[in-house]
Amino acid sequence: MCCGLAALLGILVHVSVTDQTVGEARTQALDRLTETAEAFEAGDRLPPGAGVDLPGLPAELRTLAEAGDRGTMVGGDDPRPTMWAAGPASDGRTLAVRVDYAQGARTIDGLDRAILGSSALAIGVTLLVGAFAVTRVTRRLHGTAQVARRISAGDLDARVRDPRAGDPTSPQDEVAAVAGALDTMASSLQGKLLSEQRFTADVAHELRTPLTGLHAAAELLPPGRPTELVRDRVAALRTLTEDLLEISRLDARSERLEVDAVRLGPVAERVVRAAGAGPATDAGTGTGTGTGTGTEVRVLRDAVVETDRRRLERVLGNLVANAHKHGRAPMTLTVDGPVITVRDHGDGYPPYLLEHGPQRFRTEGGSKGHGLGLTIALGQSEVLGARLVFTNAPDGGAVATLTLTAS
């Protein structure tokens, strides 16, 4: 806006001064033409620069004078800037005068140079000042945006800490208001999440004691179908309680790795055996074959990685258990270097899971939901520094891909 305003003012000054200068020259030329016409009619000697049918007279003025009108015009073909004035004379001739216009042209040229110079200086200063001011604002906005992205990624300790937002005596602007609001929101969100985490952990801890007694009491019941049902529900409650405790530890980021060199092929076979799938594999040549309706283990390319064996088995075990619970056979667990894939041929993951990731106890369309298994798998993979991605195969079925860092 400042640059546009400076250019507009320059144009207005140029037009105004040019009109004034040209107007004065035209008035002078017309006055000379009147004096010349009086001398011509009286038969007196014409003044210098005046005459009849003067050479160099612009054709437009000659035509105008022949039509019986008077007019002025700045000559374009003269070696020096000249203002011409012409009018009709007797016998169809043209009476003309020429006035030196060099001073007026120099005035306009000098004014144009002054306008261009001052406009360039004003625009340059304006751009420098504007760039400095805008850079300060955009730098603060960029920092605020970075903190917002860190918070959305899970870093609830991130804060903008804008000095203006923390000092009520300093001038407050919109950026400081946004930064202060973001810090307040992050603190409130962190407090609520910590409260929920403590509640989950406390509930899980409180449930462990009665569940332990309930489990012991269930073991003393006489054999029978009711006893089996009670023991099954007690076992489900114990599993849920342990999952809640594990979730609370993951939320609190209190997990510690026990890193060791782990060969992935044997780990995959052990996980599938623990899940009751009972596979037969051939890890030497690269392809495994499964038996029955269990999970098939395929070791295309074995690898050794530096990771926590227990957590890795927990992740793979949850993925295999989810495939058995929600998918359909055939189910495969493939090891291809540091990449492990678990696939079934069921209906695939629901759209909300593909878009937002696993959500605790989320249900969709009246289905059972996915509980805590995939949430724990994702949390443990983040602790391992691995990448767990959920997709659906083009020909149907859910695909979970775990990418580890090879040694």
Side-chain angles (χ1 to χ4, degrees), residues 119-370:
S119 298
L121 179 61
I123 290 173
V125 173
T126 302
L127 290 177
L128 289 176
V129 174
F132 176 73
V134 170
T135 301
R136 293 185 62 188
V137 174
T138 54
R139 187 185 301 114
R140 294 166 63 198
L141 287 174
H142 182 66
T144 303
Q146 284 185 326
V147 172
R149 283 191 288 267
R150 288 171 56 190
I151 293 173
S152 65
D155 184 8
L156 297 181
D157 293 325
R159 298 291 185 274
V160 180
R161 294 186 176 87
D162 193 298
R164 297 190 182 185
D167 185 6
T169 61
S170 63
Q172 300 292 309
D173 57 7
E174 289 79 4
V175 180
V178 171
L182 181 62
D183 286 348
T184 302
M185 180 200 69
S187 298
S188 176
L189 180 63
Q190 185 178 37
K192 291 181 179 179
L193 289 179
L194 290 177
S195 178
E196 292 180 1
Q197 292 170 10
R198 285 194 297 269
F199 175 76
T200 302
D202 292 343
V203 169
H205 278 293
E206 292 297 327
L207 286 175
R208 293 184 75 177
T209 300
L211 280 176
T212 301
L214 187 60
H215 176 73
E219 294 296 327
L220 299 177
L221 294 175
R225 180 60 180 168
T227 299
E228 293 178 1
L229 292 176
V230 171
R231 290 175 179 174
D232 179 69
R233 294 300 87 197
V234 170
L237 281 174
R238 293 188 66 182
T239 301
L240 177 59
T241 302
E242 295 300 327
D243 287 348
L244 287 174
L245 284 173
E246 187 170 0
I247 285 288
S248 65
R249 290 193 296 268
L250 289 172
D251 288 341
R253 303 182 184 273
S254 60
E255 300 282 26
R256 296 292 180 269
L257 289 176
E258 296 179 3
V259 179
D260 194 7
V262 178
R263 185 170 292 277
L264 298 181
V267 170
E269 298 170 11
R270 184 163 53 252
V271 167
V272 172
R273 280 196 300 269
T281 62
D282 180 7
T285 59
T287 304
T289 58
T291 60
T293 59
T295 301
E296 178 183 0
V297 178
R298 297 177 180 175
V299 183
L300 304 179
R301 182 167 54 93
D302 206 352
V304 177
V305 299
E306 294 287 337
T307 188
D308 188 319
R309 182 191 303 270
R310 180 183 66 84
R311 299 185 191 280
L312 176 59
E313 291 180 354
R314 176 68 162 156
V315 173
L316 297 180
N318 283 11
L319 295 178
V320 171
N322 185 79
H324 278 273
K325 185 176 181 180
H326 299 285
R328 290 191 295 270
M331 304 170 189
T332 57
L333 190 155
T334 305
V335 178
D336 186 4
V339 180
I340 304 175
T341 304
V342 178
R343 180 186 175 181
D344 62 59
H345 287 75
D347 297 329
Y349 294 117
Y352 73 85
L353 189 146
L354 297 177
E355 183 176 358
H356 302 291
Q359 301 175 29
R360 305 169 192 181
F361 302 112
R362 171 71 180 265
T363 59
E364 190 80 6
S367 62
K368 295 185 295 184
H370 53 74

Side-chain angles (χ1 to χ4, degrees), residues 45-66:
R45 183 177 180 181
L46 299 181
V52 178
D53 295 332
L54 290 178
L57 178 66
E60 294 87 345
L61 275 182
R62 187 182 300 276
T63 302
L64 187 67
E66 290 175 352

